[in-house]
Amino acid sequence: MKTKLVYVLVSSKEDLYWEQCLISVMSARYQMPQAQIYLVCDDQTNDSLCGKREEIKQFITKLIVIPFDKDVKKIRRSRILKVTLRKIINGDFLYIDCDTLITHSLDEIDDCLFSLAAVLDGHCIFKRHPMFDFFVKQNKHLDYPIDKIVKYFNGGVMYVKDNIEAHEFYESWHNNYLISCSKGSFIDEPSLSKTNIEHGYLIHEIDGSWNCQIRFGALYLSVNKILHFCSKKNMPVSYLSQKAYLKKIKEYGINTENLMDYIRDWKSTIPQGLVTCVGEDASFAVSPLYESSRKHFINNKIKRSLYIPHHNFKDYIISIRNNMLGRIAPKYLSQLLYKELFGIDIRQAIEYDFNKMLYILSFYSNNKEWSTYADKLAVRDYIAAKGLKHILPVVYKIWDNSRDIDFESLPNKFVLKCNHDNGSTIIVIDRYSISDYYVKKYYSKKLSKQFGISTAEPHYMNIPRKVFAEEHLENDKPFSDSLVSYKFFSFYGMAEYCQIIYDSTYHNNQKSIIYRISDWKKQVGFISKNEGNIDIPCPNKLAEMKNIVKLLSENFPFCRVDLYEINDRIYFSELTFMPGAGRIKSFSQHFLNTLGKELKSTEYKWKLS
């Protein structure tokens, strides 16, 4: 095989890109023992290729290292390497994304006569692509006639000749990508599409087997040469795309259980029940039945991630009682619920028990403003007034009625939630796959309920109920399957402890750990239910987080400030005044006493006469 196989890797020990790349280069070497496999990386990635990560060098022919300024972010480094490959590599090459499995020999590519060749994104013409509207929006910033495109190519696998046409194409692609970056978009496909138009549609379409994208490419599963196992990431068809397996590779490297079996037989990577259409019956997967199956999968995943407790008849009667008492005697209801949960009267609890102090704070202090700050929409004005508008996630739309939710006006990924409650969040990673009917029905129920009545949290009752769509924040923490929430327990702006919540994709799997902020030391045993057992790295922006917590909570006797840190940027989540509705059972008594003493120490300042 004369054509070089080329990979681009920009990775650190915290992400999972090296693990994906190891799978691909191992499979390429297995299928083509004599192939020339080039790995192009930046200098920071090269410095990280030690220990287990050095194993990847066993499978490559040549490592090419390109230096970058340290302040250039990973995503930009990765794409710049990709769009400048023609200047880096001598000879014809086949570029291959890291999240791929090579399932057959690729030596046929030597016979390719075209300067550039690639596979259609979605394995269909552009206007029939299920994500057509999304791609149009994604390309708007480059201001070119995208409506004229018939073929929109996926840049995950590209054949590139060493000729003048290809060199000129890559020079233009690089320039267009830099323009894209200047307008805030760091993905490479829009600039690839624009460059293809400018060069007279130079990219030639090759068979879908060269880049079988799992979501749309099942027609090519039985004949695939390159399986793009992370394609679109919205239906984890292959074990190789699952974080849990990639984390095993991080730990065990080339000796990971089943890895060689998966490389020898790609079909063994497919869990039974997710995709039944492999081999000769693969055409099923591009039929309406496949689309309905995929939607069923996505919607079931959403439902499993929501916390919807099961109620029997006894629970139903209790809920009626709680709703009645919550309206006429919330203080008595709070006492009743505490006694039913802990077996003692709250007034007889330890003097500085945190739950008891929250009860006193809730019913014996001036907390009229809590309703405003607990409102996920109204609180945004407070955040902005504090000079912290930059930490607010983007809100796309707000609706008073669930019937009015307009999915067509939203991007492909977004988050839905109510402003007046807890636990109503739905994370949408593919708006083309969700059931509009189910989502609207779900929020119709949420908006019909006046949150806080049955839990004796009267400050929620005055919040005008709405549902809104917010930007989707991508988790960047390899130790969690979900966004990591940092919850700071603050007393008049002073916070000594932070609860870190992770692995919360499914409610029952959620883990948490308490850290002391001053020295970022894990407080083992402070969590009595579902305590995590891993070490959480100190947030890079911890100092800035502390300043934000101080600003937002300095006027409150107690307030929990919830923040995210994503790619070295801080995002606001919410303010909470009554965690666990004032009946926290997941903390150890020692930790409850520690927090309670903090609140007790300022009781003279906030307690009403």
Side-chain angles (χ1 to χ4, degrees), residues 475-490:
N475 173 42
D476 68 334
K477 305 293 189 291
F479 60 82
S480 176
D481 66 14
S482 65
L483 281 179
V484 176
S485 180
Y486 298 88
K487 301 177 181 291
F488 294 85
F489 295 84
S490 179

Side-chain angles (χ1 to χ4, degrees), residues 16 27 42 93 96 113 159 225 422 441 456 459-460 536:
L16 296 171
S27 62
D42 63 304
F93 67 83
I96 304 172
L113 302 175
Y159 173 77
K225 298 180 179 71
N422 287 316
K441 184 178 178 182
H459 63 283
Y460 283 108
I536 306 292

Side-chain angles (χ1 to χ4, degrees), residues 181-243:
C181 290
S182 71
K183 297 188 177 182
S185 176
F186 299 99
I187 53 178
D188 57 90
E189 276 193 1
S191 54
L192 175 66
S193 177
K194 181 182 181 183
T195 306
N196 193 36
I197 285 185
E198 292 173 344
H199 285 254
Y201 304 98
L202 186 61
I203 302 176
H204 181 81
E205 180 188 350
I206 53 176
D207 186 85
S209 62
W210 288 94
N211 182 6
C212 180
Q213 303 146 57
I214 279 188
R215 178 182 173 189
F216 302 115
L219 182 63
Y220 300 97
L221 279 175
S222 61
V223 293
N224 82 85
K225 298 180 179 71
I226 301 176
L227 182 67
H228 215 140
F229 57 76
C230 279
S231 182
K232 304 306 175 189
K233 297 183 181 178
N234 66 343
M235 187 174 180
V237 177
S238 172
Y239 287 128
L240 300 177
S241 69
Q242 296 179 1
K243 275 188 176 181

Side-chain angles (χ1 to χ4, degrees), residues 89 270 316 383 521 545 555-556 586:
I89 306 295
I270 309 295
Y316 176 69
I383 305 298
K521 185 176 181 180
M545 284 177 155
N555 296 320
F556 305 127
S586 59

Side-chain angles (χ1 to χ4, degrees), residues 491-509:
F491 303 88
Y492 283 119
M494 303 301 294
E496 181 59 21
Y497 294 98
C498 178
Q499 181 183 14
I500 299 94
I501 307 285
Y502 67 97
D503 280 354
S504 56
T505 296
Y506 300 115
H507 179 80
N508 291 334
N509 296 339

Side-chain angles (χ1 to χ4, degrees), residues 178-375:
L178 293 179
I179 293 171
S180 185
C181 290
S182 71
K183 297 188 177 182
S185 176
F186 299 99
I187 53 178
D188 57 90
E189 276 193 1
S191 54
L192 175 66
S193 177
K194 181 182 181 183
T195 306
N196 193 36
I197 285 185
E198 292 173 344
H199 285 254
Y201 304 98
L202 186 61
I203 302 176
H204 181 81
E205 180 188 350
I206 53 176
D207 186 85
S209 62
W210 288 94
N211 182 6
C212 180
Q213 303 146 57
I214 279 188
R215 178 182 173 189
F216 302 115
L219 182 63
Y220 300 97
L221 279 175
S222 61
V223 293
N224 82 85
K225 298 180 179 71
I226 301 176
L227 182 67
H228 215 140
F229 57 76
C230 279
S231 182
K232 304 306 175 189
K233 297 183 181 178
N234 66 343
M235 187 174 180
V237 177
S238 172
Y239 287 128
L240 300 177
S241 69
Q242 296 179 1
K243 275 188 176 181
Y245 191 70
L246 292 171
K247 287 178 181 178
K248 287 184 180 179
I249 294 177
K250 184 185 291 291
E251 184 176 357
Y252 298 107
I254 61 176
N255 295 315
T256 303
E257 185 181 14
N258 296 327
L259 181 54
M260 277 311 300
D261 292 333
Y262 291 155
I263 286 171
R264 293 187 188 99
D265 178 16
W266 69 268
K267 293 179 184 178
S268 64
T269 74
I270 309 295
Q272 290 298 317
L274 292 187
V275 170
T276 57
C277 46
V278 294
E280 294 179 359
D281 297 326
S283 58
F284 160 82
V286 293
S287 69
L289 182 56
Y290 175 74
E291 286 302 300
S292 65
S293 299
R294 183 168 59 84
K295 287 185 177 184
H296 179 72
F297 175 85
I298 293 293
N299 287 298
N300 276 351
K301 186 175 181 181
I302 286 174
K303 290 175 183 179
R304 289 199 307 273
S305 69
L306 297 172
Y307 178 56
I308 306 176
H310 173 73
H311 294 298
N312 55 32
F313 183 71
K314 180 181 177 182
D315 294 331
Y316 176 69
I317 297 299
I318 291 174
S319 70
I320 293 175
R321 179 204 69 180
N322 292 350
N323 274 287
M324 291 176 61
L325 288 175
R327 292 179 188 278
I328 61 176
K331 184 167 68 172
Y332 174 71
L333 175 62
S334 181
Q335 296 171 6
L336 180 63
L337 293 174
Y338 185 90
K339 187 168 186 178
E340 288 179 344
L341 187 62
F342 294 98
I344 62 170
D345 190 307
I346 193 169
R347 292 163 293 186
Q348 296 174 345
I350 299 171
E351 183 182 10
Y352 40 77
D353 176 88
F354 188 48
N355 287 323
K356 181 175 182 175
M357 294 309 303
L358 288 176
Y359 162 79
I360 296 171
L361 183 66
S362 179
F363 294 105
Y364 296 95
S365 72
N366 183 3
N367 50 42
K368 293 179 181 178
E369 293 182 322
W370 284 10
S371 295
T372 300
Y373 301 128
D375 183 332

